[in-house]
Amino acid sequence: MDHHCPWLNNCVGHYNHRYFFSFCFFMTLGCVYCSYGSWDLFREAYAAIEKMKQLDKNKLQAVANQTYHQTPPPTFSFRERMTHKSLVYLWFLCSSVALALGALTVWHAVLISRGETSIERHINKKEKRRLQAKGRIFRNHYNYGCLNNWKLFLGVDTGRHWLTRVLLPSSHLPHGNGIIWDPPPWVTAQSASVMAV
C-alpha cells in the first residue's frame, strides 16, 4: 500500500499506483497548460475588474456632483462582471491546483526513483536512523536504480512497451502480487553481472 487518497476516496497500492501517478502527472500537465494558455485572458479580465472598480468609484463621485443634464459613465453589465470575475477565479484555481498537484507529483516521482512508496519512505527513514546509531548502513532492497525503478513501476520490459504501456492506456498488471515478488528477469540479470565484477 502506498497511501489512502481522500480525493479519490481509495487506497493507492500495488495494483493502482501507476494509475494514480498517471492521473497526477497528466492533471498537472493539464492545469499548467490551461494556466499558461489563459494568461492573456486572465490579464484582460483582471484589468477589466480594476476598470470596473475605478468606474464604480467615479460613478459615486459623479452622483454626488451630478446635475440633471449630465450623463453617468458607462457601466459593465452583470454578465460582463461575472465573466471577468469567473475568468480570474478559474485562473487562480487552475494555477493553485497545478502548484499543489505538481508538488505531489514530483514527490511521488522521487519516491518511485528510489523504489519506495509513501509508507515505505517513513519506515526506511526510521530504519536508517536505527542502523546509523549502531554504525551500520541501510540499503533499500527494492531500489534497483532510478531507470530500473521506473521501468519496473511502469511495467516496461522491452523498448516497445514505452509506447504500448506508458503513452497509451494499458491494463497490464504490475510485477508480483504486492506482498511478495521476485524482481523482473532483466533486473536480476543486471544485478548478477554487477555483483560478479
Side-chain angles (χ1 to χ4, degrees):
M1 177 181 155
D2 185 73
H3 69 285
H4 179 76
C5 182
W7 293 279
L8 297 176
N9 193 24
N10 197 1
C11 287
V12 177
H14 184 68
Y15 290 107
N16 63 355
H17 193 195
R18 182 177 73 239
Y19 301 112
F20 169 77
F21 182 79
S22 295
F23 169 77
C24 290
F25 179 73
F26 288 116
M27 188 73 170
T28 300
L29 282 182
C31 287
V32 167
Y33 176 77
C34 288
S35 294
Y36 180 75
S38 63
W39 173 248
D40 291 334
L41 281 174
F42 164 73
R43 284 187 17 220
E44 289 172 15
Y46 190 79
I49 289 173
E50 291 300 315
K51 188 175 180 182
M52 283 183 232
K53 289 179 185 176
Q54 189 62 38
L55 285 174
D56 287 342
K57 186 177 177 184
N58 292 343
K59 185 178 176 184
L60 289 175
Q61 290 173 352
V63 168
N65 301 329
Q66 188 175 21
T67 60
Y68 68 94
H69 63 277
Q70 288 178 322
T71 309
T75 57
F76 286 89
S77 68
F78 176 76
R79 185 176 183 178
E80 288 173 324
R81 287 175 182 269
M82 291 311 296
T83 300
H84 293 310
K85 289 179 179 180
S86 295
L87 283 171
V88 169
Y89 171 75
L90 289 173
W91 188 86
F92 274 113
L93 180 67
C94 199
S95 299
S96 301
V97 169
L99 288 174
L101 196 58
L104 180 69
T105 304
V106 167
W107 171 244
H108 276 276
V110 169
L111 290 176
I112 293 165
S113 298
R114 294 177 181 168
E116 295 177 322
T117 64
S118 300
I119 294 174
E120 287 173 347
R121 176 70 181 146
H122 295 292
I123 293 169
N124 290 347
K125 192 175 179 182
K126 287 180 183 177
E127 189 65 15
K128 185 176 182 180
R129 272 190 255 139
R130 187 182 72 80
L131 289 174
Q132 277 180 344
K134 292 182 175 183
R136 298 174 71 190
I137 297 173
F138 173 76
R139 182 179 175 278
N140 181 6
H141 295 288
Y142 300 106
N143 185 359
Y144 302 113
C146 185
L147 182 62
N148 286 334
N149 288 338
W150 277 100
K151 286 167 68 175
L152 183 65
F153 176 75
L154 297 171
V156 176
D157 296 329
T158 65
R160 190 182 73 148
H161 286 162
W162 285 106
L163 174 66
T164 59
R165 292 188 174 184
V166 178
L167 296 178
L168 298 174
S170 174
S171 61
H172 71 281
L173 294 175
H175 292 284
N177 63 10
I179 298 172
I180 299 171
W181 67 89
D182 294 324
W186 45 268
V187 170
T188 308
Q190 195 173 36
S191 298
S193 64
V194 171
M195 295 297 266
V197 172

